[in-house]
Amino acid sequence: MNSTKQNFDKPSIIQYYQRTEWVYRNFWKLDKSMGLHFGFWDENVNTLSDAILNQNKVMAALIDIKASNKVLDAGCGVGGSAIYLAKNVGCNVTGITITPKQIQSANEYAAKENILDKVCFEEMDFTKTNFADESFDVVWAIESVCHANNKNEFLSEAFRLLKKGGKLIVADYFPTKDNFTELEKKQVYTNGLNGWAVDEMCNGNKFNEVSKKLGFTNSTFINADKYVVKSVKKLINKNRLWLIPGWIYYKLGGITDTEFMNAYGAYNFCKAFGKLWNYKIFIAEK
């Protein structure tokens, strides 16, 4: 494989999530966590599912989400954050994703949690929504902005959708430097994030610069490496054991290339943690 940049369009991203949901359901205990991200570990967390739920708790506290708030979960996955916020904070949450299968799963989970009166899920691109200006108090995004081909479009749409005084919170992967060598690009992207249908991380400096030009204020980055390091190690160890049988299973036709590359990408990307990328939370106010 070479390090030629790969761009993922909407159909590719949709296909990735539709083909791999069963993987997350089994290995990420999706029916409990309802989340497809790293999660935040601390002294009170014992399982990955609990870490994923804890991430919702930590992020909600950081921006002091209130029951009276209207929240947009931009790139909501199967609805876990929206359901958590609605149940534990009491706010109304709209979750959007471009993947139809995720909408179905999110509604099923919301029904199971008896929270359908507080949440709704719609198939929509978070860079081009049909919501009115200043519709939300909070725009929330966990490991979803990385999928946007144009991160500036996400920021612009978030700014439009937020009420004055509203807050943006983004948890995602950010590179440790502006430019990678060809070998670094190969590890992080070609052999790494491309397996997750991600072509490029959010560049922190550019992300912050664009947010300020749009009119966001009080922007800050919080390094959350300490919260995710345990999940990173788990992904490395699990996928190290699974790659060879996974490759054989793929060659026998038991899984698709998407499912194999999901594991291959996780292994390589996580090996670059700390050196080439950090896990950060970006917060800004309109």
Side-chain angles (χ1 to χ4, degrees), residues 18-259:
Q18 293 190 156
R19 283 186 175 178
T20 59
E21 186 170 311
W22 73 268
V23 178
Y24 288 103
R25 192 172 299 282
N26 285 279
F27 294 99
W28 236 238
K29 308 302 181 187
L30 203 57
D31 289 338
K32 181 179 180 182
S33 67
M34 297 175 283
L36 291 75
H37 41 271
F38 277 94
F40 284 0
W41 295 79
D42 60 30
E43 63 277 6
N44 299 313
V45 171
N46 298 307
T47 67
L48 177 59
S49 297
D50 289 340
I52 291 171
L53 294 172
N54 189 49
Q55 182 168 359
N56 296 321
K57 178 182 177 181
V58 171
M59 288 176 58
L62 282 173
I63 56 172
D64 191 24
I65 297 179
K66 295 178 170 57
S68 58
N69 289 160
K70 290 184 66 178
V71 179
L72 176 68
D73 186 355
C76 66
V78 297
S81 290
I83 292 168
Y84 178 91
L85 293 173
K87 283 191 68 175
N88 293 277
V89 179
C91 53
N92 286 287
V93 189
T94 299
I96 59 174
T97 173
I98 60 173
T99 307
K101 185 174 176 59
Q102 291 186 333
I103 296 291
Q104 178 184 343
S105 295
N107 280 317
E108 289 172 356
Y109 286 134
K112 183 179 176 181
E113 298 291 328
N114 296 312
I115 203 71
L116 282 170
D117 61 324
K118 287 281 189 179
V119 298
C120 69
F121 300 102
E122 300 186 43
E123 187 181 332
M124 203 180 301
D125 182 340
F126 57 49
T127 67
K128 298 179 182 67
T129 74
N130 58 20
F131 302 117
D133 293 356
E134 300 188 0
S135 292
F136 299 96
D137 300 288
V138 173
V139 173
W140 165 292
I142 299 183
E143 296 174 37
S144 57
V145 181
C146 55
H147 284 294
N149 292 131
N150 188 328
K151 276 63 172 176
N152 297 354
E153 289 181 350
F154 165 79
L155 284 168
S156 179
E157 185 68 350
F159 188 82
R160 182 184 75 80
L161 293 174
L162 280 170
K163 298 174 184 178
K164 291 179 181 177
K167 294 179 181 179
L168 168 67
I169 184 164
V170 174
D172 222 310
Y173 332 120
F174 290 86
T176 57
K177 54 185 178 178
D178 290 340
N179 297 296
F180 287 146
T181 66
E182 289 303 305
L183 282 176
E184 289 169 342
K185 287 179 185 176
K186 187 174 182 180
Q187 179 177 4
V188 172
Y189 293 118
T190 310
N191 296 346
L193 281 176
N194 286 178
W196 290 353
V198 172
D199 54 41
E200 191 171 29
M201 286 184 279
C202 303
N203 179 292
N205 293 329
K206 293 178 182 177
F207 205 72
N208 195 29
E209 181 183 335
V210 171
S211 74
K212 289 180 178 179
K213 286 181 179 178
L214 288 167
F216 280 107
T217 60
N218 300 321
S219 60
T220 185
F221 280 100
I222 299 170
N223 187 308
D225 283 357
K226 66 179 182 180
Y227 290 118
V228 304
V229 64
K230 195 165 183 177
S231 290
V232 169
K233 290 178 179 178
K234 282 180 176 291
L235 276 170
I236 291 172
N237 292 333
K238 279 190 175 183
N239 286 299
R240 180 189 288 120
L241 296 173
W242 193 84
L243 284 178
I244 292 177
W247 173 256
I248 295 170
Y249 200 38
Y250 161 56
K251 284 299 183 180
L252 292 173
I255 57 174
T256 68
D257 58 342
T258 302
E259 291 146 306

